[in-house]
Amino acid sequence: MIVVMRPKAPLQSINEVVGRIEKQGFRANISGGDQRTVIGVIGTSFYAEFADMLAAIPNVEAVIPVTRKYKLASREFNPVDTVIRVGDVTFGGSEVVVMAGPCSVENERQIIETAYAVRASGAKVLRGGAFKPRTSPYMFRGLAEEGLKLLAKAREETGLPVITEVMTTADVPLVAHYSDILQIGARNMQNYQLLEECGRSGRPVLLKRGLSATIEEWLLSAEYILNQGNWQVMLCERGIRSYDPMTRNCFDLTAVPLVKRLSHLPIIADPSHATGKWYLVEPMAMASVAAGADGLIIEVHPNPDHALSDGPQSLTFDNFAKMMAHLPHIAEAVGRRIGLHAYA
Ligand code: PEP
Ligand code: MN
């Protein structure tokens, strides 16, 4: 449930509410809007008398049960946008953050060259998979720890924070040691133990939408991470299964404004996996920014024709640079900043 304070309620009343919540063994989450403070009560099985007791505290306007199945992820519970800071990069603020890099880390030259190229065009985070979930066990499955070390080297050289996927609970400490952000892939969206372990890692987490997950299931998966006390969760729409093989997935662009309405968590769009075709990436990146995405994650490769994974959807350095030159116009139209312009 949430406790809504009256406009401009004094700190003393807010502290009293928090004190009562904690005394009952629950946790309190305070979100301060321009006018009102809303205090979320984290716990299970509240009894009616407790709600009445909170409602009687001076300057409490209302005590409202959270009706959504997902509670911590809901905007009802936390009306103010969650902002996540990774080094100098801020997700969920006025900047639209672009993360870019190859699908897989293949070798030192490939990842370092790509890191410099995407940085020069305005990317703020470097992506690259070291543990790759592949449909066939005979495909390239990543360089594992060697790939993590190469990502760390690219970060050292370029200053870009890195994001990479973690596939198993056992690998969470290793990946968290090297990576600034943990990526949970679409295939693992409902691996609940992995979600909880990432929650306990204390690292920011990017949670991709499952291949055929509903938006409610996706938000409930985020709940598993939040429930561990880790509020640094971003959601990533990467397309869902459809009947039409013309594109790799069906990009559910509606999810972007819908998630922003239902949740306070930042929403990232992945037009690379959503479309599977490099020439569809820029238009859908533009559409994502127009729809209110807080960030993009884009696959870029020095030589897509020879990529060990996801070549057909990877942008060349030139195509990435072109996209990054076009995006600020869209960002500006919706009151956001992006790319190199975000420095201004
Ligand atoms: C990836 O980012 O390379 C990836 C495997 O993504 P997804 O989990 O969305 O398929
Ligand atoms: Mn990929």
Side-chain angles (χ1 to χ4, degrees), residues 103 127 132-133 165 183 185-187 208 238 273 299 310:
C103 178
R127 66 147 288 150
K132 295 301 303 175
E165 179 162 353
Q183 175 175 324
R187 291 156 191 81
K208 288 202 164 195
R238 46 77 72 208
H273 293 88
E299 287 189 340
D310 286 351

Side-chain angles (χ1 to χ4, degrees), residues 10-326:
L11 192 60
Q12 196 191 346
S13 302
I14 295 170
N15 287 342
E16 192 175 338
V17 172
V18 172
R20 293 280 185 94
I21 291 169
E22 289 174 349
K23 208 168 152 204
Q24 290 296 320
F26 301 129
R27 283 183 291 144
N29 173 65
I30 305 176
S31 41
D34 288 346
Q35 288 293 321
R36 274 171 219 278
T37 298
V38 174
I39 304 166
V41 189
I42 306 171
T44 46
S45 60
F46 304 117
Y47 47 96
E49 292 79 1
F50 180 53
D52 291 345
M53 189 169 83
L54 293 174
I57 296 173
N59 293 303
V60 169
E61 186 163 276
V63 178
I64 306 170
V66 175
T67 51
R68 308 271 185 207
K69 279 198 213 152
Y70 47 91
K71 308 236 176 260
L72 307 181
S74 72
R75 203 172 263 288
E76 266 177 300
F77 184 82
N78 189 0
V80 179
D81 285 350
T82 285
V83 170
I84 299 172
R85 293 202 172 78
V86 182
D88 297 336
V89 184
T90 301
F91 293 90
S94 59
E95 182 178 350
V96 179
V97 178
V98 178
M99 299 176 268
C103 178
S104 304
V105 180
E106 297 172 5
N107 56 59
E108 181 168 340
R109 188 166 165 198
Q110 174 240 21
I111 192 68
I112 304 275
E113 260 184 31
T114 308
Y116 277 116
V118 299
R119 190 186 69 172
S121 295
K124 299 293 173 64
V125 176
L126 177 66
R127 66 147 288 150
F131 292 97
K132 295 301 303 175
R134 301 308 302 275
T135 305
S136 158
Y138 308 119
M139 290 169 160
F140 177 63
R141 292 164 70 184
L143 298 178
E145 188 170 3
E146 180 56 23
L148 299 176
K149 287 184 179 160
L150 293 177
L151 280 171
K153 185 148 199 237
R155 172 179 52 211
E156 214 173 283
E157 289 214 17
T158 60
L160 292 178
V162 301
I163 176 169
T164 196
E165 179 162 353
V166 57
M167 295 204 310
T168 70
T169 308
D171 287 336
V172 171
L174 177 77
V175 178
H177 173 73
Y178 288 101
S179 188
D180 300 282
I181 306 170
L182 302 178
Q183 175 175 324
I184 298 178
R187 291 156 191 81
N188 266 319
M189 189 204 83
Q190 287 180 311
N191 180 341
Y192 299 117
Q193 286 178 336
L194 179 64
L195 297 172
E196 288 187 331
E197 193 62 24
C198 287
R200 286 190 285 268
S201 74
R203 282 271 185 230
V205 179
L206 178 132
L207 176 63
K208 288 202 164 195
R209 181 176 180 182
L211 273 69
S212 50
T214 65
I215 288 177
E216 187 172 84
E217 286 163 346
W218 186 21
L219 290 166
L220 281 165
S221 286
E223 196 78 9
Y224 274 85
I225 307 169
L226 297 165
N227 195 26
Q228 295 302 313
N230 186 348
W231 286 83
Q232 305 177 91
V233 179
M234 349 178 192
L235 298 159
C236 176
E237 168 59 47
R238 46 77 72 208
I240 46 177
R241 271 286 158 86
S242 88
Y243 53 83
D244 191 343
M246 191 66 85
T247 53
R248 181 173 179 183
N249 288 295
C250 180
F251 189 18
D252 183 6
L253 191 55
T254 310
V256 173
L258 190 52
V259 161
K260 284 226 80 82
R261 186 183 168 88
L262 297 174
S263 177
H264 51 89
L265 300 172
I267 170 94
I268 310 297
D270 176 349
S272 305
H273 293 88
T275 64
K277 292 185 157 85
W278 69 267
Y279 50 87
L280 298 178
V281 170
E282 176 177 327
M284 296 324 289
M286 304 271 252
S288 305
V289 174
D294 295 299
L296 297 168
I297 184 161
I298 308 283
E299 287 189 340
V300 178
H301 194 281
N303 189 353
D305 291 347
H306 290 91
L308 297 182
S309 59
D310 286 351
Q313 67 195 34
S314 297
L315 299 186
T316 59
F317 295 167
D318 271 1
N319 284 333
F320 181 68
K322 279 185 201 139
M323 183 193 81
M324 291 299 284
H326 296 150

